[in-house]
Amino acid sequence: MQDKNVLNIAKRKFCIRLAGVVRNWGLALVLFLPACSLVPSISVVRDEPIERLLRDEAERILSVTADATNTARYQISLSDFPRADILGMSIGERRIYISYKLGRRALHSRRHLWLLRQTLAHEIAHEIARHADYRQINFNRSSDEYGMSSRDVGLPWYVIFQPYSLEKELQADLDGMQYWKNLQWDCTIWVRILEDFERQNYSGDKSHPTHTRLKQASAACRSD
C-alpha cells in the first residue's frame, strides 16, 4: 500500500535531471538537465518493496566507489514527480530521490532495472563529486530558459533551477560507467540507452547534447 508523506527539507540544494520521452523504454530516461535549488519541501512516496530495491542497488553501486564506507549515510527515497520524465534527483549531503514510476517498473522489468541502475550510478557520481555544493540559488525569475519549472517537481513557483555544466554532466557519466565496470556490468547497455535517445530524435540541450554523451560513452565502453 502506498503512503505519501511530505518530507520537510529546509534550505537544501536540489539537483534535478530531465530527459525526453523514450518510447522503447516505456519511460523517459533521466540523463540530461541537472539543476539545483533551495526548497522548503518535497513529496515522498513510501513503498517498501521498491525502497528495498533502491537500497540494494545503491549499496551494490556504492560498494565499488570511493564513498563505500559512507554507504549507510545515503538516503534513497521515492518521489512521484508531477512531470513524468524526471526520474532522478540528487540534493547533496548524500540524499537522492528516484521516480516512483521508474522504481515500480524496475521491480518487474529487466530493462527498467538497468535504467534504474544507470540513473542511480549517475546520481551517486554527482553526490560523490559534490556537484550540488557548487550551484547558485535563484528566486523570482522565470525558469523557462531551463526547459522546466519548479512545479514540474512539486516545488514552489519561485524556485528555479540552474543546470550543471556539460563538463560536470560528462564526468558524472564517466564516473557512473566506471562503477558499472567495477561491478562487471555490460557498458553496452549504457550506450544502447543513449543510442535510443538518438533514434527517438532527442538531442538534449546545449549543456547536455545526446550526441556528445553518446560519443563519450561509446569511446569509454570500447576502451574497457
Side-chain angles (χ1 to χ4, degrees):
M1 180 176 181
Q2 302 168 21
D3 175 21
K4 290 189 178 182
N5 297 312
V6 174
L7 176 64
N8 291 321
I9 306 174
K11 296 183 179 179
R12 293 192 182 278
K13 295 177 182 178
F14 283 72
C15 299
I16 299 169
R17 295 182 300 149
L18 301 179
V21 174
V22 182
R23 292 190 296 272
N24 288 350
W25 285 85
L27 196 61
L29 171 61
V30 163
L31 284 177
F32 293 103
L33 302 175
C36 301
S37 178
L38 295 177
V39 300
S41 64
I42 185 169
S43 177
V44 172
V45 177
R46 306 298 303 184
D47 189 316
E48 180 53 34
I50 302 176
E51 289 175 293
R52 185 165 53 250
L53 174 65
L54 295 185
R55 289 194 300 269
D56 290 346
E57 294 299 332
E59 287 175 4
R60 185 179 302 184
I61 294 169
L62 283 163
S63 70
V64 297
T65 74
D67 216 18
T69 58
N70 290 309
T71 296
R73 298 179 62 185
Y74 277 78
Q75 297 183 37
I76 315 293
S77 303
L78 293 165
S79 185
D80 193 8
F81 302 116
R83 183 165 169 171
D85 61 352
I86 299 175
L87 302 188
M89 178 190 305
S90 68
I91 70 173
E93 299 185 13
R94 300 184 177 90
R95 293 174 182 263
I96 293 172
Y97 290 81
I98 297 296
S99 163
Y100 170 66
K101 294 181 181 68
L102 172 59
R104 185 176 58 191
R105 294 181 181 186
L107 197 61
H108 304 289
S109 165
R110 188 70 176 173
R111 63 179 181 175
H112 287 97
L113 177 60
W114 284 111
L115 181 56
L116 174 65
R117 287 169 172 170
Q118 185 183 58
T119 302
L120 280 170
H122 190 106
E123 295 291 357
I124 287 170
H126 277 307
E127 287 297 312
I128 292 175
R130 298 183 63 185
H131 288 163
D133 294 349
Y134 304 102
R135 310 309 299 157
Q136 296 180 355
I137 308 308
N138 297 284
F139 295 90
N140 300 316
R141 283 184 26 224
S142 170
S143 57
D144 290 344
E145 63 186 292
Y146 304 127
M148 65 175 295
S149 72
S150 57
R151 291 176 181 174
D152 292 334
V153 295
L155 298 177
W157 64 269
Y158 52 81
V159 179
I160 70 166
F161 308 101
Q162 187 176 64
Y164 285 145
S165 67
L166 174 59
E167 180 184 15
K168 286 184 173 62
E169 271 301 299
L170 292 175
Q171 189 59 54
D173 273 354
L174 284 178
D175 291 347
M177 292 187 74
Q178 183 61 49
Y179 306 155
W180 275 35
K181 180 180 179 180
N182 295 345
L183 288 164
Q184 298 185 342
W185 288 351
D186 187 355
C187 63
T188 63
I189 296 174
W190 188 297
V191 173
R192 285 201 300 269
I193 292 171
L194 291 174
E195 287 176 338
D196 194 57
F197 272 97
E198 286 212 326
R199 283 194 295 271
Q200 298 300 322
N201 296 316
Y202 182 72
S203 60
D205 72 354
K206 65 180 181 180
S207 297
H208 316 86
T210 301
H211 181 72
T212 301
R213 298 180 68 146
L214 174 56
K215 183 178 179 180
Q216 174 184 260
S218 297
C221 192
R222 285 196 302 270
S223 68
D224 285 350

